[in-house]
Every structure is written in structure tokens, then in C-alpha cells.
Amino acid sequence: MKAAIIGGTGYGAIELIRMINQHPYLEVGSVVSNSQAGNNFSESYPHLTQIIEQPLETFDVEAIAKNNDVVFLATPSGVSSNLVPQLMETGMKCIDLSGDFRLRSLEQYEAWYKRTPADYEYIKQAVYGLSEIYPETIKTASLIANPGCYPTAATLGLMPILKTAIADMESIIIDAKSGVSGAGRGLSLISHYAEINENLKAYKLGAHQHIPEIEQVLSDESGNPTTVTFTTHLVPMTRGIMCTIYLKLTETISTKDIVNLYNEFYKDKPFVRVRPEGTIPATKEVLGSNYCDIGLHVDERTNRVTIISVIDNLVKGAAGQAIQNANIMFGWDERSGLNLLPMYP
């Protein structure tokens, strides 16, 4: 199948191309970038010289539908809401990496994203693509809302304990840290070298657009309205997310028992690796891969559990999960094109 990529010069797009290039069932089709249309793709990314040599295209819904089988939208929020309806009218299956179709509430989207929401008819059709949790609905989807990077790490870290009665779900604190690539390729003060080098800063306290997404998933899966304290930090590295999550326990349980609980929950999920007791994952251990690694520790003194969840924000947090969702959607092996060893050191 040929895969069109819209938003072709961003970091999400380049990761999609890296994985599609070695995927057994997908090949790179149209690469759309209105701002760079006519330029060769390798002009934007010289590391792909003599590998991906094709001109970038303008958005033409008829040409995309004629020449491609599936569309990945790696666009900023507020763009895909206009493009997806046009694509779906032609019968194309769409996987959207932006936040335009993640929130079911139009009011929530408008309040948190500060943009006009997508047409509700398409929001109703969108399936939230948290691959490990919703594979059955992903199989039959025509539009997948790919989860955000922070929500992927946070919700995968919380899901097994959420399904039990051993934790106080009103006590969730998520301390999240991301590399600079999460801010995208565009120029901004927050990602300016002189601002981030040898620096650590918290940002969007209580105002990050991923808060309602995390709360929507946790509320759905717990069956109760769930809120979280969520604080994001930018760290001076290129890739990676670490979510350090704290919950108060409602009963006495050991770290070993929590590890066993997580192993059982994720036993058939090839991209979630639960670390043995006493082992805590680091971001570099998932670099360039589609893995989410989870470490656990129960503090018997405070009766709290600490959950460490790490991902590569551009892979499991974006392009890798999008490919994983395409694999599920088309009935392929979930690991197709994603058997990437983490890069180390």
C-alpha cells in the first residue's frame, strides 16, 4: 500500500518515512508540504539523499486519493480538522497525529487548544488510537486520532493499576519531562539553543492541552470522572519522555506484586516492557524505538506507588504508534515495520 504523508517536513513526518521505508506492506507515496512544494524532499532532509528523492507536493485531495491507499496527517493542530473531511469523502482511511480529533467535547477542544474544533460528525467517527488498549475498535476504524506523546506515556503507565481498587485515583500526580523535539521543527523561543541548553524549565502549568486527553482516557477506563495534576518540563535533550507518576495506595501491596500485576496486564503487548523489581528505565533505553518501558516502586513508608514510564516522543509518542495503528487497522502483524532496536548510547 502507498502511504501519503501530509505535513511532510516536520519531525513526525520524517519518522513516518523512516519506518515506512523498511515496512513490508507500506511504501512512501505522496509527501505533501504546501510551504515546500516543488522542492525535493532531500533538500529539507539531506540525510535522505539518494534514499527518498521525490518532489514535495501541494495538497490535492483527488491526486492523493488516486495515488495512495492510506493517509497520515502529521500537521499542527487546527489543520487536519479541515483536511480530514475532504479525504474521507473520497473513502481514504486517515490516521491523524495532531490533536484535532482526540477530544470528544467540542467545548473542551476550544478551551484547551484555543481553536475552532473539527466538525462533530467526524469527531464521532474518530477512534482513539491507544494501540495497546483499543485494538478492537482500531481494526474497524476509518479515522484514527493518534494519541499525544505525553498521554501515551502517562496512560500506559497508569492503565493496569486503574483497573484495580488498590490505588486512590483522586491522588494522581504526573511529573512529565520531554526532549526539545516535542516542540516541533518550527522556530520558537522555548526551543532556542541558548534558552534550553544547560537549562530545565517547567511550562504550561495547569494549561497543557494534553490534560483533558489524559483525563478523558482515564475517566473512560475507570468508569468515574478522573482528574490529574499534570506538570510538564522541557529538558535539554533531543528525544524522549519520562513520566514520573505518583499515586496513594488504598491497601498494602509490595513492589513485586505491582510488577506482577503490570506483567499480566501487558503480557500480550509486544511494545510495552515492564522492568523487573529494582530496575528503573531511562529515556535513552527506548531511543528510536516504539517501546514504552515501565518501572515500578512501592514506598512502604508513605504507602505510595511511583510509576516511571518512558517513550521516544517521536516514535511511540507519534509516528511509531501511527504505524502500529495502521498495522492493526489493515490486519497485519502489529510489529510490522517497527522491529527497531533502541539506539544506545
mmCIF file with all atom_site columns, all heavy atoms in Angstrom, residues 129-132 134-140 144 321-335:
data_model
loop_
_atom_site.group_PDB
_atom_site.id
_atom_site.type_symbol
_atom_site.label_atom_id
_atom_site.label_alt_id
_atom_site.label_comp_id
_atom_site.label_asym_id
_atom_site.label_entity_id
_atom_site.label_seq_id
_atom_site.pdbx_PDB_ins_code
_atom_site.Cartn_x
_atom_site.Cartn_y
_atom_site.Cartn_z
_atom_site.occupancy
_atom_site.B_iso_or_equiv
_atom_site.pdbx_formal_charge
_atom_site.auth_seq_id
_atom_site.auth_comp_id
_atom_site.auth_asym_id
_atom_site.auth_atom_id
_atom_site.pdbx_PDB_model_num
ATOM 1   N N   . GLY A 1 129 ? -6.547  6.137   19.137 1.00 0.00 ? 129 GLY A N   1
ATOM 2   C CA  . GLY A 1 129 ? -5.619  5.078   18.760 1.00 0.00 ? 129 GLY A CA  1
ATOM 3   C C   . GLY A 1 129 ? -4.569  4.715   19.776 1.00 0.00 ? 129 GLY A C   1
ATOM 4   O O   . GLY A 1 129 ? -3.385  4.609   19.423 1.00 0.00 ? 129 GLY A O   1
ATOM 5   N N   . LEU A 1 130 ? -4.961  4.497   21.023 1.00 0.00 ? 130 LEU A N   1
ATOM 6   C CA  . LEU A 1 130 ? -4.020  3.972   22.004 1.00 0.00 ? 130 LEU A CA  1
ATOM 7   C C   . LEU A 1 130 ? -3.918  2.469   21.742 1.00 0.00 ? 130 LEU A C   1
ATOM 8   O O   . LEU A 1 130 ? -4.767  1.681   22.166 1.00 0.00 ? 130 LEU A O   1
ATOM 9   C CB  . LEU A 1 130 ? -4.498  4.276   23.429 1.00 0.00 ? 130 LEU A CB  1
ATOM 10  C CG  . LEU A 1 130 ? -3.502  4.021   24.560 1.00 0.00 ? 130 LEU A CG  1
ATOM 11  C CD1 . LEU A 1 130 ? -2.236  4.868   24.402 1.00 0.00 ? 130 LEU A CD1 1
ATOM 12  C CD2 . LEU A 1 130 ? -4.148  4.300   25.916 1.00 0.00 ? 130 LEU A CD2 1
ATOM 13  N N   . SER A 1 131 ? -2.887  2.084   21.020 1.00 0.00 ? 131 SER A N   1
ATOM 14  C CA  . SER A 1 131 ? -2.830  0.768   20.374 1.00 0.00 ? 131 SER A CA  1
ATOM 15  C C   . SER A 1 131 ? -3.023  -0.400  21.334 1.00 0.00 ? 131 SER A C   1
ATOM 16  O O   . SER A 1 131 ? -3.693  -1.383  21.005 1.00 0.00 ? 131 SER A O   1
ATOM 17  C CB  . SER A 1 131 ? -1.486  0.597   19.650 1.00 0.00 ? 131 SER A CB  1
ATOM 18  O OG  . SER A 1 131 ? -1.251  1.654   18.750 1.00 0.00 ? 131 SER A OG  1
ATOM 19  N N   . GLU A 1 132 ? -2.408  -0.332  22.515 1.00 0.00 ? 132 GLU A N   1
ATOM 20  C CA  . GLU A 1 132 ? -2.470  -1.452  23.459 1.00 0.00 ? 132 GLU A CA  1
ATOM 21  C C   . GLU A 1 132 ? -3.843  -1.603  24.108 1.00 0.00 ? 132 GLU A C   1
ATOM 22  O O   . GLU A 1 132 ? -4.186  -2.673  24.607 1.00 0.00 ? 132 GLU A O   1
ATOM 23  C CB  . GLU A 1 132 ? -1.419  -1.275  24.562 1.00 0.00 ? 132 GLU A CB  1
ATOM 24  C CG  . GLU A 1 132 ? -0.006  -1.661  24.156 1.00 0.00 ? 132 GLU A CG  1
ATOM 25  C CD  . GLU A 1 132 ? 0.642   -0.690  23.184 1.00 0.00 ? 132 GLU A CD  1
ATOM 26  O OE1 . GLU A 1 132 ? 0.206   0.475   23.133 1.00 0.00 ? 132 GLU A OE1 1
ATOM 27  O OE2 . GLU A 1 132 ? 1.579   -1.089  22.477 1.00 0.00 ? 132 GLU A OE2 1
ATOM 28  N N   . TYR A 1 134 ? -7.053  -0.164  22.737 1.00 0.00 ? 134 TYR A N   1
ATOM 29  C CA  . TYR A 1 134 ? -8.245  -0.149  21.881 1.00 0.00 ? 134 TYR A CA  1
ATOM 30  C C   . TYR A 1 134 ? -8.056  -0.859  20.538 1.00 0.00 ? 134 TYR A C   1
ATOM 31  O O   . TYR A 1 134 ? -8.524  -0.380  19.504 1.00 0.00 ? 134 TYR A O   1
ATOM 32  C CB  . TYR A 1 134 ? -8.673  1.304   21.631 1.00 0.00 ? 134 TYR A CB  1
ATOM 33  C CG  . TYR A 1 134 ? -8.964  2.067   22.901 1.00 0.00 ? 134 TYR A CG  1
ATOM 34  C CD1 . TYR A 1 134 ? -8.198  3.182   23.252 1.00 0.00 ? 134 TYR A CD1 1
ATOM 35  C CD2 . TYR A 1 134 ? -9.991  1.680   23.746 1.00 0.00 ? 134 TYR A CD2 1
ATOM 36  C CE1 . TYR A 1 134 ? -8.461  3.884   24.416 1.00 0.00 ? 134 TYR A CE1 1
ATOM 37  C CE2 . TYR A 1 134 ? -10.265 2.382   24.916 1.00 0.00 ? 134 TYR A CE2 1
ATOM 38  C CZ  . TYR A 1 134 ? -9.497  3.477   25.244 1.00 0.00 ? 134 TYR A CZ  1
ATOM 39  O OH  . TYR A 1 134 ? -9.754  4.171   26.402 1.00 0.00 ? 134 TYR A OH  1
ATOM 40  N N   . PRO A 1 135 ? -7.395  -2.020  20.489 1.00 0.00 ? 135 PRO A N   1
ATOM 41  C CA  . PRO A 1 135 ? -7.155  -2.662  19.195 1.00 0.00 ? 135 PRO A CA  1
ATOM 42  C C   . PRO A 1 135 ? -8.426  -3.070  18.462 1.00 0.00 ? 135 PRO A C   1
ATOM 43  O O   . PRO A 1 135 ? -8.463  -3.048  17.226 1.00 0.00 ? 135 PRO A O   1
ATOM 44  C CB  . PRO A 1 135 ? -6.300  -3.884  19.555 1.00 0.00 ? 135 PRO A CB  1
ATOM 45  C CG  . PRO A 1 135 ? -6.608  -4.158  20.993 1.00 0.00 ? 135 PRO A CG  1
ATOM 46  C CD  . PRO A 1 135 ? -6.835  -2.819  21.606 1.00 0.00 ? 135 PRO A CD  1
ATOM 47  N N   . GLU A 1 136 ? -9.462  -3.457  19.183 1.00 0.00 ? 136 GLU A N   1
ATOM 48  C CA  . GLU A 1 136 ? -10.680 -3.932  18.521 1.00 0.00 ? 136 GLU A CA  1
ATOM 49  C C   . GLU A 1 136 ? -11.391 -2.817  17.764 1.00 0.00 ? 136 GLU A C   1
ATOM 50  O O   . GLU A 1 136 ? -11.897 -3.043  16.661 1.00 0.00 ? 136 GLU A O   1
ATOM 51  C CB  . GLU A 1 136 ? -11.624 -4.575  19.541 1.00 0.00 ? 136 GLU A CB  1
ATOM 52  C CG  . GLU A 1 136 ? -11.073 -5.851  20.166 1.00 0.00 ? 136 GLU A CG  1
ATOM 53  C CD  . GLU A 1 136 ? -10.635 -6.875  19.127 1.00 0.00 ? 136 GLU A CD  1
ATOM 54  O OE1 . GLU A 1 136 ? -11.422 -7.132  18.195 1.00 0.00 ? 136 GLU A OE1 1
ATOM 55  O OE2 . GLU A 1 136 ? -9.507  -7.416  19.251 1.00 0.00 ? 136 GLU A OE2 1
ATOM 56  N N   . THR A 1 137 ? -11.452 -1.630  18.321 1.00 0.00 ? 137 THR A N   1
ATOM 57  C CA  . THR A 1 137 ? -12.092 -0.519  17.604 1.00 0.00 ? 137 THR A CA  1
ATOM 58  C C   . THR A 1 137 ? -11.168 0.032   16.518 1.00 0.00 ? 137 THR A C   1
ATOM 59  O O   . THR A 1 137 ? -11.651 0.507   15.481 1.00 0.00 ? 137 THR A O   1
ATOM 60  C CB  . THR A 1 137 ? -12.501 0.605   18.569 1.00 0.00 ? 137 THR A CB  1
ATOM 61  O OG1 . THR A 1 137 ? -11.381 0.953   19.402 1.00 0.00 ? 137 THR A OG1 1
ATOM 62  C CG2 . THR A 1 137 ? -13.652 0.179   19.446 1.00 0.00 ? 137 THR A CG2 1
ATOM 63  N N   . ILE A 1 138 ? -9.866  -0.062  16.719 1.00 0.00 ? 138 ILE A N   1
ATOM 64  C CA  . ILE A 1 138 ? -8.916  0.386   15.695 1.00 0.00 ? 138 ILE A CA  1
ATOM 65  C C   . ILE A 1 138 ? -9.052  -0.473  14.441 1.00 0.00 ? 138 ILE A C   1
ATOM 66  O O   . ILE A 1 138 ? -8.955  0.031   13.319 1.00 0.00 ? 138 ILE A O   1
ATOM 67  C CB  . ILE A 1 138 ? -7.472  0.338   16.246 1.00 0.00 ? 138 ILE A CB  1
ATOM 68  C CG1 . ILE A 1 138 ? -7.277  1.407   17.325 1.00 0.00 ? 138 ILE A CG1 1
ATOM 69  C CG2 . ILE A 1 138 ? -6.441  0.541   15.124 1.00 0.00 ? 138 ILE A CG2 1
ATOM 70  C CD1 . ILE A 1 138 ? -6.003  1.256   18.131 1.00 0.00 ? 138 ILE A CD1 1
ATOM 71  N N   . LYS A 1 139 ? -9.319  -1.764  14.609 1.00 0.00 ? 139 LYS A N   1
ATOM 72  C CA  . LYS A 1 139 ? -9.429  -2.684  13.469 1.00 0.00 ? 139 LYS A CA  1
ATOM 73  C C   . LYS A 1 139 ? -10.465 -2.235  12.445 1.00 0.00 ? 139 LYS A C   1
ATOM 74  O O   . LYS A 1 139 ? -10.308 -2.460  11.248 1.00 0.00 ? 139 LYS A O   1
ATOM 75  C CB  . LYS A 1 139 ? -9.791  -4.089  13.965 1.00 0.00 ? 139 LYS A CB  1
ATOM 76  C CG  . LYS A 1 139 ? -8.665  -4.844  14.626 1.00 0.00 ? 139 LYS A CG  1
ATOM 77  C CD  . LYS A 1 139 ? -9.161  -6.204  15.123 1.00 0.00 ? 139 LYS A CD  1
ATOM 78  C CE  . LYS A 1 139 ? -8.066  -6.937  15.882 1.00 0.00 ? 139 LYS A CE  1
ATOM 79  N NZ  . LYS A 1 139 ? -8.568  -8.219  16.443 1.00 0.00 ? 139 LYS A NZ  1
ATOM 80  N N   . THR A 1 140 ? -11.537 -1.632  12.905 1.00 0.00 ? 140 THR A N   1
ATOM 81  C CA  . THR A 1 140 ? -12.645 -1.267  12.014 1.00 0.00 ? 140 THR A CA  1
ATOM 82  C C   . THR A 1 140 ? -12.715 0.231   11.741 1.00 0.00 ? 140 THR A C   1
ATOM 83  O O   . THR A 1 140 ? -13.681 0.706   11.151 1.00 0.00 ? 140 THR A O   1
ATOM 84  C CB  . THR A 1 140 ? -13.978 -1.744  12.609 1.00 0.00 ? 140 THR A CB  1
ATOM 85  O OG1 . THR A 1 140 ? -14.162 -1.152  13.904 1.00 0.00 ? 140 THR A OG1 1
ATOM 86  C CG2 . THR A 1 140 ? -14.002 -3.256  12.760 1.00 0.00 ? 140 THR A CG2 1
ATOM 87  N N   . ILE A 1 144 ? -8.439  7.475   12.642 1.00 0.00 ? 144 ILE A N   1
ATOM 88  C CA  . ILE A 1 144 ? -7.792  7.240   13.933 1.00 0.00 ? 144 ILE A CA  1
ATOM 89  C C   . ILE A 1 144 ? -7.192  8.542   14.438 1.00 0.00 ? 144 ILE A C   1
ATOM 90  O O   . ILE A 1 144 ? -6.460  9.223   13.724 1.00 0.00 ? 144 ILE A O   1
ATOM 91  C CB  . ILE A 1 144 ? -6.694  6.159   13.816 1.00 0.00 ? 144 ILE A CB  1
ATOM 92  C CG1 . ILE A 1 144 ? -7.327  4.796   13.535 1.00 0.00 ? 144 ILE A CG1 1
ATOM 93  C CG2 . ILE A 1 144 ? -5.854  6.098   15.095 1.00 0.00 ? 144 ILE A CG2 1
ATOM 94  C CD1 . ILE A 1 144 ? -6.329  3.692   13.311 1.00 0.00 ? 144 ILE A CD1 1
ATOM 95  N N   . GLN A 1 321 ? 3.528   4.829   16.872 1.00 0.00 ? 321 GLN A N   1
ATOM 96  C CA  . GLN A 1 321 ? 2.185   4.404   17.236 1.00 0.00 ? 321 GLN A CA  1
ATOM 97  C C   . GLN A 1 321 ? 1.225   4.537   16.048 1.00 0.00 ? 321 GLN A C   1
ATOM 98  O O   . GLN A 1 321 ? 0.305   3.726   15.888 1.00 0.00 ? 321 GLN A O   1
ATOM 99  C CB  . GLN A 1 321 ? 1.663   5.185   18.432 1.00 0.00 ? 321 GLN A CB  1
ATOM 100 C CG  . GLN A 1 321 ? 0.339   4.664   18.960 1.00 0.00 ? 321 GLN A CG  1
ATOM 101 C CD  . GLN A 1 321 ? 0.067   5.020   20.404 1.00 0.00 ? 321 GLN A CD  1
ATOM 102 O OE1 . GLN A 1 321 ? -0.463  4.219   21.164 1.00 0.00 ? 321 GLN A OE1 1
ATOM 103 N NE2 . GLN A 1 321 ? 0.441   6.223   20.807 1.00 0.00 ? 321 GLN A NE2 1
ATOM 104 N N   . ALA A 1 322 ? 1.456   5.540   15.194 1.00 0.00 ? 322 ALA A N   1
ATOM 105 C CA  . ALA A 1 322 ? 0.635   5.676   13.988 1.00 0.00 ? 322 ALA A CA  1
ATOM 106 C C   . ALA A 1 322 ? 0.819   4.470   13.067 1.00 0.00 ? 322 ALA A C   1
ATOM 107 O O   . ALA A 1 322 ? -0.155  3.942   12.506 1.00 0.00 ? 322 ALA A O   1
ATOM 108 C CB  . ALA A 1 322 ? 1.000   6.970   13.256 1.00 0.00 ? 322 ALA A CB  1
ATOM 109 N N   . ILE A 1 323 ? 2.062   4.009   12.904 1.00 0.00 ? 323 ILE A N   1
ATOM 110 C CA  . ILE A 1 323 ? 2.322   2.811   12.104 1.00 0.00 ? 323 ILE A CA  1
ATOM 111 C C   . ILE A 1 323 ? 1.712   1.587   12.783 1.00 0.00 ? 323 ILE A C   1
ATOM 112 O O   . ILE A 1 323 ? 1.110   0.720   12.128 1.00 0.00 ? 323 ILE A O   1
ATOM 113 C CB  . ILE A 1 323 ? 3.837   2.608   11.903 1.00 0.00 ? 323 ILE A CB  1
ATOM 114 C CG1 . ILE A 1 323 ? 4.446   3.774   11.107 1.00 0.00 ? 323 ILE A CG1 1
ATOM 115 C CG2 . ILE A 1 323 ? 4.115   1.274   11.219 1.00 0.00 ? 323 ILE A CG2 1
ATOM 116 C CD1 . ILE A 1 323 ? 4.015   3.842   9.665  1.00 0.00 ? 323 ILE A CD1 1
ATOM 117 N N   . GLN A 1 324 ? 1.847   1.496   14.093 1.00 0.00 ? 324 GLN A N   1
ATOM 118 C CA  . GLN A 1 324 ? 1.252   0.385   14.847 1.00 0.00 ? 324 GLN A CA  1
ATOM 119 C C   . GLN A 1 324 ? -0.266  0.355   14.621 1.00 0.00 ? 324 GLN A C   1
ATOM 120 O O   . GLN A 1 324 ? -0.855  -0.715  14.428 1.00 0.00 ? 324 GLN A O   1
ATOM 121 C CB  . GLN A 1 324 ? 1.577   0.551   16.332 1.00 0.00 ? 324 GLN A CB  1
ATOM 122 C CG  . GLN A 1 324 ? 1.202   -0.639  17.204 1.00 0.00 ? 324 GLN A CG  1
ATOM 123 C CD  . GLN A 1 324 ? 1.616   -0.433  18.659 1.00 0.00 ? 324 GLN A CD  1
ATOM 124 O OE1 . GLN A 1 324 ? 2.255   0.563   19.016 1.00 0.00 ? 324 GLN A OE1 1
ATOM 125 N NE2 . GLN A 1 324 ? 1.229   -1.366  19.516 1.00 0.00 ? 324 GLN A NE2 1
ATOM 126 N N   . ASN A 1 325 ? -0.893  1.525   14.617 1.00 0.00 ? 325 ASN A N   1
ATOM 127 C CA  . ASN A 1 325 ? -2.333  1.597   14.374 1.00 0.00 ? 325 ASN A CA  1
ATOM 128 C C   . ASN A 1 325 ? -2.682  1.190   12.945 1.00 0.00 ? 325 ASN A C   1
ATOM 129 O O   . ASN A 1 325 ? -3.702  0.526   12.717 1.00 0.00 ? 325 ASN A O   1
ATOM 130 C CB  . ASN A 1 325 ? -2.844  3.010   14.667 1.00 0.00 ? 325 ASN A CB  1
ATOM 131 C CG  . ASN A 1 325 ? -2.967  3.271   16.157 1.00 0.00 ? 325 ASN A CG  1
ATOM 132 O OD1 . ASN A 1 325 ? -3.277  2.357   16.920 1.00 0.00 ? 325 ASN A OD1 1
ATOM 133 N ND2 . ASN A 1 325 ? -2.724  4.495   16.579 1.00 0.00 ? 325 ASN A ND2 1
ATOM 134 N N   . ALA A 1 326 ? -1.852  1.575   11.987 1.00 0.00 ? 326 ALA A N   1
ATOM 135 C CA  . ALA A 1 326 ? -2.078  1.142   10.603 1.00 0.00 ? 326 ALA A CA  1
ATOM 136 C C   . ALA A 1 326 ? -1.981  -0.375  10.501 1.00 0.00 ? 326 ALA A C   1
ATOM 137 O O   . ALA A 1 326 ? -2.789  -1.024  9.805  1.00 0.00 ? 326 ALA A O   1
ATOM 138 C CB  . ALA A 1 326 ? -1.077  1.808   9.666  1.00 0.00 ? 326 ALA A CB  1
ATOM 139 N N   . ASN A 1 327 ? -1.015  -0.964  11.185 1.00 0.00 ? 327 ASN A N   1
ATOM 140 C CA  . ASN A 1 327 ? -0.866  -2.417  11.183 1.00 0.00 ? 327 ASN A CA  1
ATOM 141 C C   . ASN A 1 327 ? -2.124  -3.104  11.714 1.00 0.00 ? 327 ASN A C   1
ATOM 142 O O   . ASN A 1 327 ? -2.600  -4.097  11.150 1.00 0.00 ? 327 ASN A O   1
ATOM 143 C CB  . ASN A 1 327 ? 0.339   -2.836  12.025 1.00 0.00 ? 327 ASN A CB  1
ATOM 144 C CG  . ASN A 1 327 ? 1.667   -2.443  11.402 1.00 0.00 ? 327 ASN A CG  1
ATOM 145 O OD1 . ASN A 1 327 ? 1.767   -2.216  10.205 1.00 0.00 ? 327 ASN A OD1 1
ATOM 146 N ND2 . ASN A 1 327 ? 2.700   -2.349  12.221 1.00 0.00 ? 327 ASN A ND2 1
ATOM 147 N N   . ILE A 1 328 ? -2.651  -2.581  12.813 1.00 0.00 ? 328 ILE A N   1
ATOM 148 C CA  . ILE A 1 328 ? -3.872  -3.157  13.403 1.00 0.00 ? 328 ILE A CA  1
ATOM 149 C C   . ILE A 1 328 ? -5.056  -2.949  12.463 1.00 0.00 ? 328 ILE A C   1
ATOM 150 O O   . ILE A 1 328 ? -5.859  -3.855  12.227 1.00 0.00 ? 328 ILE A O   1
ATOM 151 C CB  . ILE A 1 328 ? -4.142  -2.529  14.784 1.00 0.00 ? 328 ILE A CB  1
ATOM 152 C CG1 . ILE A 1 328 ? -3.010  -2.864  15.764 1.00 0.00 ? 328 ILE A CG1 1
ATOM 153 C CG2 . ILE A 1 328 ? -5.476  -3.011  15.345 1.00 0.00 ? 328 ILE A CG2 1
ATOM 154 C CD1 . ILE A 1 328 ? -3.054  -2.077  17.062 1.00 0.00 ? 328 ILE A CD1 1
ATOM 155 N N   . MET A 1 329 ? -5.156  -1.748  11.898 1.00 0.00 ? 329 MET A N   1
ATOM 156 C CA  . MET A 1 329 ? -6.264  -1.403  11.010 1.00 0.00 ? 329 MET A CA  1
ATOM 157 C C   . MET A 1 329 ? -6.338  -2.326  9.795  1.00 0.00 ? 329 MET A C   1
ATOM 158 O O   . MET A 1 329 ? -7.417  -2.760  9.379  1.00 0.00 ? 329 MET A O   1
ATOM 159 C CB  . MET A 1 329 ? -6.110  0.062   10.564 1.00 0.00 ? 329 MET A CB  1
ATOM 160 C CG  . MET A 1 329 ? -7.152  0.537   9.568  1.00 0.00 ? 329 MET A CG  1
ATOM 161 S SD  . MET A 1 329 ? -6.718  2.163   8.875  1.00 0.00 ? 329 MET A SD  1
ATOM 162 C CE  . MET A 1 329 ? -7.196  3.245   10.194 1.00 0.00 ? 329 MET A CE  1
ATOM 163 N N   . PHE A 1 330 ? -5.176  -2.654  9.227  1.00 0.00 ? 330 PHE A N   1
ATOM 164 C CA  . PHE A 1 330 ? -5.147  -3.442  7.998  1.00 0.00 ? 330 PHE A CA  1
ATOM 165 C C   . PHE A 1 330 ? -4.928  -4.937  8.241  1.00 0.00 ? 330 PHE A C   1
ATOM 166 O O   . PHE A 1 330 ? -4.785  -5.708  7.298  1.00 0.00 ? 330 PHE A O   1
ATOM 167 C CB  . PHE A 1 330 ? -4.085  -2.893  7.055  1.00 0.00 ? 330 PHE A CB  1
ATOM 168 C CG  . PHE A 1 330 ? -4.424  -1.537  6.510  1.00 0.00 ? 330 PHE A CG  1
ATOM 169 C CD1 . PHE A 1 330 ? -3.667  -0.428  6.850  1.00 0.00 ? 330 PHE A CD1 1
ATOM 170 C CD2 . PHE A 1 330 ? -5.516  -1.362  5.675  1.00 0.00 ? 330 PHE A CD2 1
ATOM 171 C CE1 . PHE A 1 330 ? -3.985  0.833   6.352  1.00 0.00 ? 330 PHE A CE1 1
ATOM 172 C CE2 . PHE A 1 330 ? -5.849  -0.109  5.180  1.00 0.00 ? 330 PHE A CE2 1
ATOM 173 C CZ  . PHE A 1 330 ? -5.087  0.989   5.515  1.00 0.00 ? 330 PHE A CZ  1
ATOM 174 N N   . GLY A 1 331 ? -4.907  -5.353  9.515  1.00 0.00 ? 331 GLY A N   1
ATOM 175 C CA  . GLY A 1 331 ? -4.811  -6.772  9.831  1.00 0.00 ? 331 GLY A CA  1
ATOM 176 C C   . GLY A 1 331 ? -3.426  -7.366  9.695  1.00 0.00 ? 331 GLY A C   1
ATOM 177 O O   . GLY A 1 331 ? -3.281  -8.584  9.566  1.00 0.00 ? 331 GLY A O   1
ATOM 178 N N   . TRP A 1 332 ? -2.392  -6.522  9.725  1.00 0.00 ? 332 TRP A N   1
ATOM 179 C CA  . TRP A 1 332 ? -1.025  -7.009  9.639  1.00 0.00 ? 332 TRP A CA  1
ATOM 180 C C   . TRP A 1 332 ? -0.501  -7.301  11.043 1.00 0.00 ? 332 TRP A C   1
ATOM 181 O O   . TRP A 1 332 ? -1.092  -6.899  12.038 1.00 0.00 ? 332 TRP A O   1
ATOM 182 C CB  . TRP A 1 332 ? -0.126  -5.971  8.964  1.00 0.00 ? 332 TRP A CB  1
ATOM 183 C CG  . TRP A 1 332 ? -0.587  -5.560  7.598  1.00 0.00 ? 332 TRP A CG  1
ATOM 184 C CD1 . TRP A 1 332 ? -1.194  -6.348  6.662  1.00 0.00 ? 332 TRP A CD1 1
ATOM 185 C CD2 . TRP A 1 332 ? -0.494  -4.250  7.017  1.00 0.00 ? 332 TRP A CD2 1
ATOM 186 N NE1 . TRP A 1 332 ? -1.475  -5.610  5.523  1.00 0.00 ? 332 TRP A NE1 1
ATOM 187 C CE2 . TRP A 1 332 ? -1.046  -4.326  5.716  1.00 0.00 ? 332 TRP A CE2 1
ATOM 188 C CE3 . TRP A 1 332 ? 0.017   -3.029  7.452  1.00 0.00 ? 332 TRP A CE3 1
ATOM 189 C CZ2 . TRP A 1 332 ? -1.122  -3.234  4.852  1.00 0.00 ? 332 TRP A CZ2 1
ATOM 190 C CZ3 . TRP A 1 332 ? -0.047  -1.933  6.610  1.00 0.00 ? 332 TRP A CZ3 1
ATOM 191 C CH2 . TRP A 1 332 ? -0.598  -2.031  5.322  1.00 0.00 ? 332 TRP A CH2 1
ATOM 192 N N   . ASP A 1 333 ? 0.634   -7.967  11.108 1.00 0.00 ? 333 ASP A N   1
ATOM 193 C CA  . ASP A 1 333 ? 1.307   -8.155  12.386 1.00 0.00 ? 333 ASP A CA  1
ATOM 194 C C   . ASP A 1 333 ? 1.580   -6.774  12.992 1.00 0.00 ? 333 ASP A C   1
ATOM 195 O O   . ASP A 1 333 ? 2.109   -5.876  12.331 1.00 0.00 ? 333 ASP A O   1
ATOM 196 C CB  . ASP A 1 333 ? 2.632   -8.911  12.181 1.00 0.00 ? 333 ASP A CB  1
ATOM 197 C CG  . ASP A 1 333 ? 3.294   -9.297  13.495 1.00 0.00 ? 333 ASP A CG  1
ATOM 198 O OD1 . ASP A 1 333 ? 3.486   -8.416  14.361 1.00 0.00 ? 333 ASP A OD1 1
ATOM 199 O OD2 . ASP A 1 333 ? 3.649   -10.469 13.639 1.00 0.00 ? 333 ASP A OD2 1
ATOM 200 N N   . GLU A 1 334 ? 1.198   -6.625  14.237 1.00 0.00 ? 334 GLU A N   1
ATOM 201 C CA  . GLU A 1 334 ? 1.319   -5.337  14.930 1.00 0.00 ? 334 GLU A CA  1
ATOM 202 C C   . GLU A 1 334 ? 2.740   -4.774  14.901 1.00 0.00 ? 334 GLU A C   1
ATOM 203 O O   . GLU A 1 334 ? 2.958   -3.564  14.945 1.00 0.00 ? 334 GLU A O   1
ATOM 204 C CB  . GLU A 1 334 ? 0.860   -5.540  16.376 1.00 0.00 ? 334 GLU A CB  1
ATOM 205 C CG  . GLU A 1 334 ? 0.651   -4.291  17.186 1.00 0.00 ? 334 GLU A CG  1
ATOM 206 C CD  . GLU A 1 334 ? 0.032   -4.607  18.538 1.00 0.00 ? 334 GLU A CD  1
ATOM 207 O OE1 . GLU A 1 334 ? -0.501  -5.729  18.717 1.00 0.00 ? 334 GLU A OE1 1
ATOM 208 O OE2 . GLU A 1 334 ? 0.090   -3.741  19.413 1.00 0.00 ? 334 GLU A OE2 1
ATOM 209 N N   . ARG A 1 335 ? 3.725   -5.654  14.771 1.00 0.00 ? 335 ARG A N   1
ATOM 210 C CA  . ARG A 1 335 ? 5.134   -5.245  14.833 1.00 0.00 ? 335 ARG A CA  1
ATOM 211 C C   . ARG A 1 335 ? 5.716   -4.896  13.469 1.00 0.00 ? 335 ARG A C   1
ATOM 212 O O   . ARG A 1 335 ? 6.883   -4.500  13.377 1.00 0.00 ? 335 ARG A O   1
ATOM 213 C CB  . ARG A 1 335 ? 5.952   -6.368  15.469 1.00 0.00 ? 335 ARG A CB  1
ATOM 214 C CG  . ARG A 1 335 ? 5.574   -6.661  16.914 1.00 0.00 ? 335 ARG A CG  1
ATOM 215 C CD  . ARG A 1 335 ? 6.068   -8.014  17.381 1.00 0.00 ? 335 ARG A CD  1
ATOM 216 N NE  . ARG A 1 335 ? 5.353   -9.091  16.682 1.00 0.00 ? 335 ARG A NE  1
ATOM 217 C CZ  . ARG A 1 335 ? 5.500   -10.374 16.947 1.00 0.00 ? 335 ARG A CZ  1
ATOM 218 N NH1 . ARG A 1 335 ? 6.318   -10.749 17.903 1.00 0.00 ? 335 ARG A NH1 1
ATOM 219 N NH2 . ARG A 1 335 ? 4.835   -11.290 16.263 1.00 0.00 ? 335 ARG A NH2 1
#
